[in-house]
């Protein structure tokens, strides 16, 4: 099989921690436990807010205000900043994975369900501007559709724009891998937590250099 023309990376779970889950649900250190919010309540609130905030450009302060309403407590901004400094971080293997992608000679970009505020922070911490082609960024908050959208979703938009090119996707969620494969995108199943021992040859073993 020839190598890809384009490699698209998911962010959460692949290059970076999943943001709200990490900040809110991390046992003992996350916001739910620090604020005394039951984990099931916090999880349900996070899912509802993710659906809302990942579909449009929005402000982070509004997100945390809405989270407070959802869980019935005030979420102090200074506590959010403290937890973020402690927990919000890239995969320790992110730059190695990006370097492997660069070694293939392919262009690469992003395919991510995200929010405008977390995407900006992830991009800065990962230094994505040094790696990716900005024309190959497919993110839910800009497109207004998610990967799981009925009908034309994020992957369908990407596949149409990249028609005629060989595309690979590095992604950690099985349902997203299946959907991408159905569109002719070669899906590479990878999670930095699950596959931490796959380095240093994860990508080079799956994509012909």
């Amino acid at each position: 099989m020839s190598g890809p023309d384009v490699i698209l990376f998911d962010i959460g779970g692949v290059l970076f921690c999943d943001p709200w889950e990490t900040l809110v649900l991390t046992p003992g250190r996350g916001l739910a436990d620090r604020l005394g919010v039951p984990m099931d309540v916090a999880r349900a609130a996070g899912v509802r807010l993710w659906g809302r905030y990942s579909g449009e450009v929005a402000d982070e302060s509004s997100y945390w205000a809405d989270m407070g309403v959802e869980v019935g407590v005030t979420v102090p901004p200074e506590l959010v900043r403290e937890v973020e400094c402690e927990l919000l971080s890239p995969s320790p293997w992110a730059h190695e994975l990006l370097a492997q992608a660069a070694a293939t000679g392919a262009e690469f970009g992003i395919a991510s369900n995200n929010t405008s505020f977390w995407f900006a922070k992830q991009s800065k911490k990962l230094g994505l501007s040094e790696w990716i082609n900005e024309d190959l960024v497919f993110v839910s908050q800009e497109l207004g559709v998610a990967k799981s959208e009925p009908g034309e979703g994020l992957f369908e938009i990407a596949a149409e724009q990249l028609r005629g090119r060989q595309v690979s996707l590095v992604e950690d969620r099985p349902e997203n891998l299946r959907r991408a494969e159905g569109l002719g995108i070669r899906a590479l199943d990878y999670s930095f937590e699950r596959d931490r021992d796959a380095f240093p040859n994860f990508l080079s073993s799956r994509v012909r250099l």
Side-chain angles (χ1 to χ4, degrees):
M1 180 181 292
S2 61
D5 302 310
V6 174
I7 301 173
L8 298 177
F9 286 93
D10 182 27
I11 296 186
V14 172
L15 297 176
F16 211 95
C17 66
D18 286 306
W20 80 261
E21 293 98 325
T22 300
L23 294 175
V24 176
L25 302 179
T26 299
R29 302 161 68 197
L31 289 165
D33 279 349
R34 292 196 191 196
L35 293 171
V37 177
M39 200 64 74
D40 60 336
V41 173
R43 182 176 289 103
V47 170
R48 287 193 294 272
L49 290 178
W50 183 255
R52 187 187 315 167
Y53 278 86
S54 64
E56 59 185 29
V57 175
D59 182 75
E60 185 176 4
S61 61
S62 298
Y63 175 90
W64 292 115
D66 284 346
M67 176 64 79
V69 172
E70 290 274 352
V71 300
V73 299
T74 298
V75 182
E78 63 274 13
L79 180 59
V80 173
R81 288 193 294 270
E82 178 183 335
V83 173
E84 182 177 299
C85 287
E86 183 178 339
L87 298 179
L88 200 66
S89 62
S91 157
W93 302 280
H95 281 186
E96 174 65 22
L97 191 58
L98 290 167
Q100 288 183 21
T104 69
E107 291 188 278
F108 50 104
I110 297 296
S112 176
N113 289 342
N114 219 309
T115 65
S116 49
F117 42 91
W118 281 320
F119 181 64
K121 292 176 182 181
Q122 291 166 329
S123 295
K124 182 177 180 180
K125 290 195 176 192
L126 288 165
L128 285 184
S129 62
E130 301 175 14
W131 296 94
I132 64 172
N133 181 337
E134 294 293 339
D135 292 332
L136 301 177
V137 175
F138 303 95
V139 287
S140 62
Q141 76 277 6
E142 296 289 346
L143 296 173
V145 295
K147 295 174 181 178
S148 60
E149 196 84 13
E152 185 180 64
L154 189 149
F155 289 141
E156 283 77 12
I157 292 172
E160 177 61 29
Q161 183 170 320
L162 299 172
R163 183 185 297 274
R165 306 177 75 181
Q166 295 295 318
V167 182
S168 292
L169 168 74
V170 185
E171 164 73 58
D172 65 323
R173 296 183 185 265
E175 64 275 17
N176 294 335
L177 292 161
R178 289 191 296 270
R179 185 155 176 170
E181 288 275 12
L183 294 165
I185 296 171
R186 186 182 182 206
L188 306 177
D189 184 7
Y190 174 76
S191 159
F192 77 81
E193 287 291 345
R194 184 193 64 221
D195 299 320
R196 63 179 65 210
D197 294 331
F199 277 90
N201 298 312
F202 166 75
L203 198 62
S204 60
S205 67
R206 291 161 172 78
V207 177
R208 182 177 298 172
L209 300 181

